[in-house]
Amino acid sequence: MFGNFIDQFWPSTIDGLSLGAIYALVALGYTMVYGVLRLINFAHSEIFMIGTFAALATLNAIGLSAPVGGLALIGLVLMLAVVAGLVSGASAVALEFVAYRPLRRRGASRLAALISAIGASLFLQQLFARVLIPWWFDLPKEKGALPIPKHFTETVDLLSIGDFIIRNDKLFVILGAIVMMIALDQFVNRTQLGRGIRATAQDPETAVLMGVNIDRVVSATFMIGGVMAGVAAALYLMRFGETNYFVGFLLGIKAFTAAVLGGIGNLRGALVGGLTLGLIEMYGSVIFGSAWQDVVAFSVLVLVLMFRPTGILGESLQQARA
Amino acid sequence: MLLEIRDVHVHYGKIAALKGITVEVEEGEIVTLIGANGAGKTTTLKTISGLRPLSSGRILFNGQDISRMPGHKRVLAGIGQAPEGRGIFPGMTVTENLHMGAYARKGDVSKDLAEVFELFPRLAERKNQAGGTMSGGEQQMLAIGRALMSRPKVLLLDEPSMGLAPMLIQQIFTIIEEINRRGTTVLVVEQNAQQALQLAHRAYVLETGRVLKSAPASELLDDPEVRAAYLGGGAGAAGGSGGSGDSGDSGGKAAAVASAPGEAAVVDEPVQKTAPDDRD
């Protein structure tokens, strides 16, 4: 079983990093909202799901006639990422406006907001399953995965060194995630609104005394988390080539796990946690078989939290320099 | 009149924290609110800066009714605050904390930054240190300097002496005087009544959400009732801040500063029945 692991080491490392990059992007949404509002936004998985459908709709509208490669593929992926990012970002802002803001205004408890999050999550899933998908794709009640234009998912081997092969889609996913992380880091540390987000995460009451408009900070936080989830959704569609109304559920739980693993509330923790989780899953599935993938991942989570309850990077957004 | 608080009531849930407070602050003054834990001092400041909604009454600033203005806009209007517990952003450096003070402002802040560093040379030495790793005195300087960065017309200070050694308190109070001399109106909340009354022009004595007395500060220093209740006159009961026990220096002023936990009982007694929720 370990001979297998050595044989498969490089391919599973690449697989793990590209899977982990998607977890990391989605984890950012959980961790930022938690940092600012101390709320686990359980409907974030549906924001991701909405992103996959936005990307799919764009693909269908373009209607590829042949596989694309090179610059054209880069352009296509960028376009999908932009559309999915905007749609997911707007959905996240709308979600906050409808499901959380009224509760916050009335000073409701965090548990009430949590229930509201679960409700919003179920509502969005069922809205897609029963109304939007049948209407949109002209299908009866949707059960299985939706068809993705096949030309999009036909992949090209970019470069190979011996057994070490990098496929274009996996490379794009990793690069895309890194670019988004750098952009976010710059935004949070260099812009005025970014400083407002950090201040609110560290001490909301004092932030108001500095003239920070909390409502705007909260909207911006949901917007950014949503955009990240939308980009992740476009990359996911390219990497795995399928979506359905349920696509966010397990991925959302994994991304939330990644956020906790890295240290919730900590932006860099989301990256570390996501990549770690992706690698563990892939290595675990090579060693123990793919059926054990999730068991290995969550066992590691439990172990890490036993010894480092605050996650790998420990300190949260309050303490960390974002 | 720069700041006028008219018959303000504030509730935490069903508990009344302020039961009709009226306070006036003229431009150029230093005014202090003294009183025991739970008297409503911090709540009064938080209500002025918009962190607590008022149930009735009005707050006028520069003649304009700001009772319903959201907190973040009051900063631009000219109300700066160094909050209770200092509210330093622990993960930001000294310079970043100071820049947060100018968050709502537009334009160049380098002049203000230089002025704060001139008032507090200590902060200039620690520019790049994380706020969370500074000592209590340095954090208090940072909190005051940060509030000045918004160029406030009135500076609200919540217990600037809390937890500081007597020498440091003296230093902070001297700087507050200097800030006032340079043209900023100051409203300071203190449990350390002796020091506050020596600093201020006028004072209000608060008790369980009401104004008990208001007079020029020097008069209150000689007021037998105030002396007995807040200045440790005679019986040695101190209205101290309950801060750190670093006031081993038993000089003349130390009575107001020193507060062994047990001694404050006289003052605290009526408070706990009525307003246990003042988060002081």
Side-chain angles (χ1 to χ4, degrees):
Chain A
M1 114 206 302
F2 283 97
N4 210 357
F5 176 60
I6 291 163
D7 286 345
Q8 295 286 310
F9 181 74
W10 284 112
S12 53
T13 301
I14 298 297
D15 280 354
L17 288 178
S18 66
L19 181 63
I22 290 173
Y23 290 156
L25 283 178
V26 180
L28 281 174
Y30 286 104
T31 223
M32 286 191 73
V33 168
Y34 181 83
V36 168
L37 286 181
R38 300 291 180 280
L39 164 75
I40 312 285
N41 176 16
F42 274 117
H44 189 56
S45 47
E46 272 53 62
I47 298 299
F48 170 82
M49 181 268 287
I50 290 172
T52 63
F53 280 98
L56 178 57
T58 314
L59 264 182
N60 285 340
I62 295 171
L64 295 179
S65 54
V68 288
L71 276 180
L73 182 57
I74 294 178
L76 179 64
V77 173
L78 269 180
M79 189 174 151
L80 294 184
V82 168
V83 172
L86 287 179
V87 171
S88 284
S91 309
V93 172
L95 168 75
E96 193 271 326
F97 213 80
V98 173
Y100 305 135
R101 185 161 299 195
L103 293 174
R104 202 152 48 82
R105 283 270 159 77
R106 287 172 181 75
S109 74
R110 283 196 192 113
L111 273 179
L114 197 70
I115 303 293
S116 187
I118 294 170
S121 171
L122 290 173
F123 170 80
L124 288 171
Q125 275 183 25
Q126 294 307 313
L127 179 71
F128 271 75
R130 293 174 197 285
V131 182
L132 290 182
I133 294 175
W135 166 74
W136 202 346
F137 296 95
D138 204 18
L139 292 168
K141 210 171 127 191
E142 182 48 45
K143 292 220 169 83
L146 284 162
I148 306 287
K150 69 176 179 0
H151 292 314
F152 180 54
T153 50
E154 282 169 4
T155 53
V156 188
D157 291 348
L158 270 192
L159 57 110
S160 57
I161 309 164
D163 282 346
F164 182 40
I165 297 168
I166 298 185
R167 259 168 42 193
N168 57 354
D169 58 338
K170 294 177 188 171
L171 186 71
F172 278 177
V173 171
I174 298 171
L175 284 182
I178 291 173
V179 168
M180 294 307 286
M181 294 295 297
I182 292 173
L184 179 64
D185 199 66
Q186 291 296 309
F187 174 81
V188 166
N189 283 304
R190 304 232 183 275
T191 66
Q192 196 207 25
L193 194 54
R195 284 205 308 275
I197 291 175
R198 287 173 62 203
T200 308
Q202 292 179 25
D203 186 339
E205 207 160 75
T206 307
V208 173
L209 295 179
M210 303 294 111
V212 176
N213 183 345
I214 299 288
D215 283 342
R216 246 179 87 195
V217 160
V218 169
S219 287
T221 304
F222 275 85
M223 179 78 191
I224 294 167
V227 167
M228 294 293 169
V231 172
L235 297 172
Y236 178 91
L237 208 61
M238 175 175 66
R239 174 81 175 75
F240 296 100
E242 62 169 38
T243 184
N244 56 57
Y245 71 92
F246 210 58
V247 70
F249 179 70
L250 191 58
L251 193 129
I253 290 180
K254 294 277 184 64
F256 175 60
T257 304
V260 174
L261 191 63
I264 192 150
N266 184 326
L267 298 186
R268 284 171 192 165
L271 179 66
V272 171
L275 295 181
T276 308
L277 189 66
L279 286 174
I280 289 168
E281 280 192 15
M282 284 304 144
Y283 292 157
S285 71
V286 170
I287 296 172
F288 301 104
S290 58
W292 291 85
Q293 178 174 332
D294 296 344
V295 177
V296 173
F298 285 102
S299 303
V300 170
L301 173 78
V302 170
L303 276 178
V304 168
L305 292 187
M306 270 168 70
F307 294 103
R308 272 192 78 87
T310 51
I312 297 172
L313 291 194
E315 51 181 6
S316 55
L317 197 62
Q318 295 94 299
Q319 309 299 325
R321 298 201 51 203
Chain B
M1 194 69 60
L2 183 62
L3 178 63
E4 227 180 315
I5 299 145
R6 275 196 211 151
D7 194 29
V8 162
H9 291 70
V10 171
H11 291 80
Y12 290 116
K14 282 180 186 160
I15 300 161
L18 300 187
K19 304 166 192 163
I21 293 237
T22 297
V23 170
E24 297 178 339
V25 181
E26 293 275 9
E27 188 145 16
E29 274 189 314
I30 301 180
V31 173
T32 185
L33 309 180
I34 59 174
N37 225 339
K41 307 185 301 292
T42 293
T43 304
T44 305
L45 284 200
K46 284 188 171 174
T47 309
I48 296 171
S49 51
L51 294 178
R52 294 281 170 276
L54 33 78
S55 355
S56 67
R58 300 214 296 163
I59 301 174
L60 300 176
F61 184 64
N62 258 338
Q64 189 197 352
D65 188 344
I66 59 164
S67 316
R68 304 275 166 239
M69 185 189 272
H72 66 270
K73 288 192 179 151
R74 298 191 196 188
V75 186
L76 265 181
I79 298 176
Q81 182 171 353
E84 176 191 35
R86 302 166 193 129
I88 298 305
F89 299 114
M92 296 190 188
T93 65
V94 168
T95 313
E96 283 178 309
N97 264 286
L98 290 174
H99 275 290
M100 279 310 298
Y103 182 88
R105 258 182 57 196
K106 293 196 168 59
D108 187 31
V109 297
S110 55
K111 238 183 77 188
D112 306 78
L113 208 56
E115 195 176 331
V116 169
F117 284 145
E118 181 229 330
L119 273 174
F120 303 101
R122 192 60 181 245
L123 297 182
E125 291 165 23
R126 317 223 148 196
K127 271 182 200 172
N128 298 318
Q129 190 174 332
T133 64
M134 308 229 297
S135 74
E138 289 162 350
Q139 288 196 355
Q140 188 59 57
M141 294 177 191
L142 183 52
I144 296 175
R146 188 181 57 185
L148 287 176
M149 290 294 289
S150 68
R151 290 197 187 156
K153 294 198 185 80
V154 62
L155 178 62
L156 313 180
L157 301 174
D158 198 341
E159 303 262 3
S161 76
M162 169 116 65
L164 301 185
M167 240 178 65
L168 212 48
I169 296 178
Q170 198 55 57
Q171 201 184 334
I172 297 261
F173 275 50
T174 308
I175 294 171
I176 295 172
E177 253 181 326
E178 172 64 22
I179 290 168
N180 177 250
R181 198 174 306 125
R182 293 184 187 187
T184 307
T185 308
V186 177
L187 176 59
V188 54
V189 150
E190 264 298 341
Q191 284 196 7
N192 189 341
Q194 177 91 31
Q195 298 260 353
L197 289 176
Q198 283 174 352
L199 171 80
H201 303 120
R202 289 190 306 113
Y204 292 80
V205 181
L206 266 55
E207 200 175 278
T208 60
R210 289 194 179 85
V211 174
L212 196 68
K213 235 174 224 210
S214 76
S218 51
E219 269 177 39
L220 288 181
L221 271 173
D222 298 326
D223 185 309
E225 205 183 330
V226 171
R227 288 196 71 84
Y230 303 107
L231 300 176
S241 68
S244 66
D246 53 8
S247 40
D249 162 18
S250 52
K253 288 172 191 161
V257 181
S259 71
E263 285 180 343
V266 178
V267 189
D268 277 347
E269 198 176 14
V271 167
Q272 284 161 353
K273 277 181 261 171
T274 45
D277 207 9
D278 190 357
R279 280 137 225 212
D280 260 330

